[in-house]
Amino acid sequence: MIRLHHVPWSRSFRVLWLLTEMGIEPELIRYRIGDREMRSPEMLALSPAGRVPALEIDGITLFESSAILHYLCETRPEHGFGRAPGDPERVRFLELLSFAETMASLIEQLNLNHIFLRPPAKPSPVVIKLNTARLRATLAALDRMVAGDYLLEGGFSAADTMMGFNLFAAPYYVKLDPWPGLQAYWQRLEARPGFQKAAATEGPQDFYDRAFYPVPEG
Ligand SMILES: N[C@@H](CCC(=O)N[C@@H](CS)C(=O)NCC(=O)O)C(=O)O
């Protein structure tokens, strides 16, 4: 039994996508952000902060998307999606997995300000402006890191699935127009059969209600 605790088009997409690339179809336990079940004792036993993803696999449970991707790569090395110690791409692989969370934490802040805050709470234009600029800087950095078709010259890896969620979400806040190479990379990711299959499992996103959220005046 492989069971993924999942919010569609959230960070748990990273895990769904890598599993799909490996030909593994997990049982999905779906939540929506804000669901009480995400803070239930059962969920907290799987993921102590009540976050997704959490993965039940091989008789154990893991949380944190990066740790899950590492585990999947190390226990299923035949797919070649990881970079083991000693591999010349190991260091860059590790950097990218963590860097994806540097970027995702900015997306999370923007989601909070643009989407989750409800009156009387007010989004802060200053915080939005700052986080948008910081997100832009991480995208410019990512653009410089694309090495050939993927993030690692050796080919598609879990670093790409880690960035998949980011590149789905970031363009709602920062347009990718200044970086044609990054856009082409994202199109290559989206064109992969594994991505298409995982995206079909997700269905259309219903989280963002417009195509772009500009920085508000103020
Ligand atoms: N660093 C964690 C972050 C997990 C995380 O924050 N997931 C979000 C969805 S993208 C979540 O579960 N949010 C629920 C909440 O904040 O209540 C990871 O990469 O797995």
Side-chain angles (χ1 to χ4, degrees):
M1 180 274 295
I2 297 180
R3 184 181 289 150
L4 176 62
H5 295 259
H6 181 58
V7 170
W9 293 114
S10 75
R11 285 173 174 101
S12 52
F13 178 74
R14 296 163 168 167
V15 178
L16 174 65
W17 181 18
L18 190 69
L19 287 169
T20 308
E21 292 277 354
M22 290 177 164
I24 298 170
E25 214 167 299
E27 178 189 344
L28 291 179
I29 310 293
R30 292 173 191 262
Y31 307 86
R32 290 181 69 87
I33 300 286
D35 276 356
R36 281 188 180 186
E37 292 76 34
M38 288 185 74
R39 299 289 187 273
S40 68
E42 293 77 18
M43 181 62 174
L44 294 178
L46 302 172
S47 174
R51 306 276 187 114
V52 296
L55 184 68
E56 299 177 63
I57 189 168
D58 303 337
I60 60 167
T61 306
L62 300 91
F63 63 96
E64 283 291 335
S65 57
S66 172
I68 294 172
L69 297 193
H70 262 298
Y71 177 84
L72 289 173
C73 290
E74 288 177 11
T75 53
R76 285 137 180 98
E78 64 276 18
H79 299 286
F81 295 150
R83 296 296 184 271
D87 187 301
E89 292 185 326
R90 170 75 170 179
V91 169
R92 181 42 68 96
F93 178 69
L94 294 177
E95 287 173 338
L96 285 164
L97 291 185
S98 291
F99 184 57
E101 272 304 272
T102 297
M103 191 187 290
S105 64
L106 297 165
I107 294 168
E108 183 176 315
Q109 285 302 311
L110 290 166
N111 286 344
L112 192 71
N113 271 271
H114 281 288
I115 295 175
F116 289 121
L117 286 185
R118 295 275 175 266
K122 285 202 191 98
S124 159
V126 175
V127 171
I128 292 178
K129 196 171 175 184
L130 187 64
N131 280 316
T132 304
R134 286 160 70 80
L135 178 60
R136 187 174 296 110
T138 61
L139 288 163
L142 186 63
D143 176 60
R144 297 194 296 274
M145 290 183 200
V146 177
D149 281 353
Y150 296 108
L151 288 174
L152 299 175
E153 269 174 22
F156 181 78
S157 73
D160 298 300
T161 68
M162 196 70 190
M163 289 299 171
F165 157 74
N166 298 16
L167 287 172
F168 154 75
Y172 286 96
Y173 302 125
V174 176
K175 293 192 171 146
L176 300 186
D177 303 349
W179 309 290
L182 189 58
Q183 279 180 308
Y185 163 62
W186 175 224
Q187 282 160 11
R188 275 193 296 280
L189 294 187
E190 286 184 301
R192 286 183 67 86
F195 183 102
Q196 301 265 322
K197 191 167 179 214
T201 302
E202 297 293 60
Q205 73 82 24
D206 60 1
F207 184 73
Y208 300 104
D209 65 3
R210 61 193 86 150
F212 187 69
Y213 293 77
V215 175
E217 302 287 322

